[in-house]
Amino acid sequence: MDDPSPFQRLWALAIGTLRPPPGRGRIALAFAYGIVCHALFAAAVIAMIVAMFFGMTISLGNLPAPWSFAANALLLLQFPLVHSLLLTRRGGPKLSRLAPAPHGGTLATTTYAIVASIQLLLLFALWTPSGTIWWQAEGAAFIGLCAAYAASWALLIKASYDAGAEVQSGALGWMSLAQDKKPEFPDMPTTGLFRFVRQPIYVSFALTTWTVPVWTPDQLAVAISLTAYCLLAPLLKERRFAARYGDRFAAYKARVPYALPLRWTRTDDTDTTQQPSDL
């Protein structure tokens, strides 16, 4: 049988969770982590959607200047720094120690999703708005940007599904623990949106920051910071993929562009002008 599709993997994992082997303590821990993980994940996504839709003008932060500037800068920095650190060789063991032994390794993906969700909640719920609105879309522009914003989020959901929804959502860890088995990670993603660019999750995540109908200094700071992260962080990810998959990833990298669905090639041996061509 060929490699299972993302849906087949997720379905098999979910069905197995409904029939776990005996072990009340293990099962209780797994489901407790699952509930916390998915509740925080949903809250973080909702907070991000709402906060950016209104240009970061709605949040719980209420610090006076200049403390608000420092606090907002820290909120912006903590997400990319911690999010990337936990994926390094040094960060991995720390991530495992955040869950009860001896289940830290099994719950790593769930713990990672919990930490990331808390980070996003901190960023978008505790941001202190500047109170300045540069531009707010109206009429057809508002409708168009709302559609673009929704499309960006749809692309992010699709890209996460293509990469492995069980990993991206944190479900892999707690569902594997419930079944008392080692997590089975999906293979290197090359289908779906990964046929067009190597980093569709990061690209669509960045798009959500630029398709909002309200623009403020706050939204611009968030968009620039998170877009920079989305362009640079995958470089570390690709180093891990190169080490793990070797020639397979090298061939995929040569065939599929990094972030834009365009390839730049020379027209001939003497012409140095590069032209885009669709994949």
Side-chain angles (χ1 to χ4, degrees):
M1 181 177 177
D2 295 334
D3 290 337
S5 68
F7 176 78
Q8 289 173 323
R9 288 196 313 267
L10 186 60
W11 179 258
L13 187 64
I15 291 299
T17 306
L18 298 178
R19 300 190 295 266
R24 291 184 179 180
R26 186 197 74 254
I27 295 172
L29 178 65
F31 276 85
Y33 261 72
I35 291 170
V36 171
C37 174
H38 299 314
L40 286 173
F41 188 88
V45 170
I46 292 172
M48 184 176 176
I49 291 174
V50 173
M52 291 203 305
F53 183 83
F54 292 101
M56 303 297 291
T57 61
I58 298 177
S59 65
L60 301 178
N62 192 29
L63 290 175
W67 303 109
S68 60
F69 303 145
N72 288 345
L74 287 174
L75 289 173
L76 274 176
L77 287 173
Q78 56 86 24
F79 178 74
L81 291 179
V82 176
H83 201 64
S84 298
L85 175 64
L86 291 177
L87 291 177
T88 63
R89 291 184 178 180
R90 292 184 178 181
K94 292 181 175 63
L95 185 64
S96 297
R97 288 197 291 270
L98 293 177
H103 306 303
T106 302
L107 286 170
T109 56
T110 303
T111 306
Y112 186 75
I114 290 174
V115 173
S117 298
I118 292 173
Q119 289 185 273
L120 287 174
L121 272 175
L122 290 174
L123 172 57
F124 291 102
L126 298 184
W127 184 273
T128 298
S130 66
T132 300
I133 297 178
W134 284 337
W135 181 75
Q136 186 168 346
E138 297 178 354
F142 177 76
I143 296 174
L145 284 171
C146 286
Y149 193 55
S152 298
W153 279 99
L155 283 174
L156 181 56
I157 293 171
K158 169 62 173 166
S160 299
Y161 170 81
D162 293 337
E166 68 274 29
V167 177
Q168 303 301 317
S169 67
L172 178 62
W174 76 265
M175 287 187 176
S176 297
L177 179 60
Q179 298 174 60
D180 197 18
K181 68 176 186 179
K182 184 178 180 180
E184 298 177 6
F185 287 84
D187 194 14
M188 182 180 76
T190 57
T191 60
L193 294 180
F194 286 86
R195 293 179 300 167
F196 305 104
V197 292
R198 301 198 303 273
Q199 304 298 337
I201 293 178
Y202 288 94
V203 171
S204 52
F205 187 82
L207 282 175
T208 65
T209 69
W210 293 100
T211 52
V212 297
V214 179
W215 276 97
T216 64
D218 313 66
Q219 181 62 35
L220 183 61
V222 169
I224 291 175
S225 300
L226 293 184
T227 299
Y229 165 72
C230 289
L231 290 175
L232 297 176
L235 297 176
L236 299 175
K237 176 182 176 182
E238 294 204 342
R239 287 174 59 183
R240 296 193 300 271
F241 271 41
R244 183 181 306 168
Y245 297 109
D247 291 341
R248 282 185 60 204
F249 179 71
Y252 173 69
K253 184 177 179 180
R255 186 176 70 253
V256 179
Y258 183 67
L260 296 177
L262 302 170
R263 295 183 66 180
W264 298 85
T265 57
R266 296 176 184 270
T267 55
D268 55 51
D269 293 337
T270 59
D271 185 5
T272 59
T273 303
Q274 293 180 315
Q275 301 292 336
S277 59
D278 294 336
L279 283 179

